[in-house]
Amino acid sequence: MKKQLKDIRNLFLGSVCLLLAACAGRPSQTNSYEEKPVITVTLEPQRYFTEAIAGDKFKVLSMVPKGSSPETYDPVPQQLVSLGDSKAYFRIGYIGFEQTWMDRLMNNTPHIQVFDTSKGIDLILNNNDHGHGNGHSPHDGHIHAVEPHIWNSTANALIIAGNTYKALSQLDKANDAYYMARYDSLCQRIQHTDSLIRQQLSSPEAAKAFMIYHPALSYFARDYGLHQISIEEGGKEPSPAHLKELIDRCRAENVQVIFVQPEFDKRNAETIAQQTGTKVVPINPLSYDWEEEMLNVAQALAPQAEAK
């Protein structure tokens, strides 16, 4: 079955490459001077950072659309064709989509410059509790044992912003001052977000531990000294024994909030909540509205601070 899927994928990619070549051989129907150059990024939060700095100089497209999991998403043919028109690709670092697709995509679009916006970040290595190990199947989860959700952190966001500014300046040296001014403005917003989060979490009522189905807030937890407890077991639904253990941990650590993401089943979170009186809170760490999502997490962990 795995071989069949691999063969189908390779055939799919080969067909798209032929389509790319055909498109490249056609003269453009539009006036190129009227079009903005394109930058492709992996995720919507990256599009937020990139657009904040690039302003009106570039059009920014995300490969993983809203509502899709970047661990398992496969691009559609039109996206691959559009990628051929990009001037650069900004990768987030270690997410499943990139582990599966980046080499093949770049081999077939060699003119595209690739920039890694995770450079300089102090990475968290996954342990077996999260079940992401060192498996080589592209859809097993987080490959190379690196926790990939680096954007869910104000400290990391500053580094991502810096890498994005450097990339844009390299691509378009003539507008460096423009990008620098917008980069400075973005950094101020990120620092303001961090200040608001710290203010909320400093409340005596603020939680010190939280549960989440898929462990996407590891860097957020590290930033603010919190304990993240993942409901997933080995990247899959928890077993009945593990579910009982989670209920016990929820009570022992006085967990008040269980976060659920839209792309994952929330039934196990609701089961734990019913047994412990914990609140289930929907979040979307893949949202374009990065600042709003970071503040939503903090507000859920410190509800009394929000009311003051």
Side-chain angles (χ1 to χ4, degrees):
M1 184 65 182
K2 287 186 177 178
K3 185 178 184 303
Q4 289 177 336
L5 289 173
K6 183 178 180 181
D7 290 343
I8 291 170
R9 257 195 204 162
N10 289 336
L11 179 62
F12 166 70
L13 186 60
S15 301
V16 172
C17 291
L18 290 174
L19 184 57
L20 275 169
C23 291
R26 280 202 312 263
S28 175
Q29 303 262 329
T30 58
N31 187 339
S32 60
Y33 292 102
E34 295 176 359
E35 294 184 350
K36 297 177 187 177
V38 176
I39 289 173
T40 300
V41 301
T42 300
L43 306 168
E44 281 291 284
Q46 273 183 288
R47 185 167 70 88
Y48 167 81
F49 296 126
T50 306
E51 287 184 344
I53 302 173
D56 60 5
K57 304 300 182 186
F58 286 91
K59 180 180 179 180
V60 185
L61 301 176
S62 302
M63 285 298 285
V64 180
K66 179 180 178 182
S68 298
S69 170
E71 311 290 348
T72 59
Y73 181 72
D74 290 333
V76 299
Q78 183 55 49
Q79 287 182 293
L80 301 179
V81 173
S82 299
L83 180 61
D85 297 327
S86 296
K87 188 170 184 179
Y89 192 105
F90 293 0
R91 61 179 299 166
I92 197 64
Y94 299 89
I95 206 74
F97 172 82
E98 294 176 352
Q99 300 291 343
T100 304
W101 283 96
M102 279 301 297
D103 287 346
R104 284 181 282 175
L105 293 178
M106 294 306 106
N107 286 340
N108 289 286
T109 52
H111 66 284
I112 297 177
Q113 296 186 65
V114 179
F115 298 90
D116 187 350
T117 60
S118 71
K119 281 186 177 179
I121 286 176
D122 181 14
L123 298 169
I124 295 174
L125 299 183
N126 279 311
N127 55 41
N128 291 330
D129 289 342
H130 290 174
H132 299 303
N134 291 310
H136 296 290
S137 173
H139 287 179
D140 278 348
H142 307 160
I143 303 174
H144 300 320
V146 172
E147 168 52 51
H149 306 92
I150 64 170
W151 64 92
N152 293 320
S153 156
T154 52
N156 290 352
L158 290 171
I159 297 174
I160 293 169
N163 288 331
T164 301
Y165 157 69
K166 290 174 187 175
L168 288 167
S169 182
Q170 184 175 328
L171 290 168
D172 182 19
K173 293 181 175 65
N175 286 303
D176 176 72
Y178 174 85
Y179 300 132
M180 174 58 80
R182 295 184 66 89
Y183 164 63
D184 286 343
S185 176
L186 175 60
C187 287
Q188 289 176 23
R189 296 207 302 274
I190 293 171
Q191 289 165 344
H192 180 62
T193 299
D194 177 68
S195 177
L196 291 175
I197 292 172
R198 291 187 184 280
Q199 182 180 357
Q200 289 171 328
L201 296 181
S202 68
S203 165
E205 296 88 358
K208 302 302 179 188
F210 62 88
M211 276 192 179
I212 185 169
Y213 183 83
H214 183 69
L217 295 175
S218 302
Y219 293 94
F220 184 96
R222 183 176 72 179
D223 281 356
Y224 306 111
L226 305 174
H227 184 201
Q228 172 183 254
I229 304 168
S230 172
I231 294 176
E232 267 186 349
E233 183 181 33
K236 300 176 182 178
E237 295 282 316
S239 65
H242 185 56
L243 196 60
K244 182 181 183 305
E245 178 188 332
L246 289 169
I247 291 170
D248 292 341
R249 289 180 71 183
C250 190
R251 290 172 174 148
E253 298 199 34
N254 193 29
V255 170
Q256 300 298 315
V257 175
I258 303 175
F259 292 116
V260 292
Q261 300 107 302
E263 65 270 24
F264 296 102
D265 194 330
K266 61 181 181 179
R267 285 176 295 181
N268 285 297
E270 290 173 341
T271 297
I272 296 170
Q274 288 168 3
Q275 294 291 320
T276 61
T278 308
K279 181 170 61 173
V280 175
V281 177
I283 59 169
N284 185 8
L286 295 168
S287 170
Y288 175 85
D289 298 315
W290 176 85
E291 292 174 67
E292 180 180 341
E293 285 302 319
M294 292 294 94
L295 290 172
N296 285 344
V297 170
Q299 288 171 359
L301 293 171
Q304 298 302 313
E306 180 186 11
K308 288 180 180 178

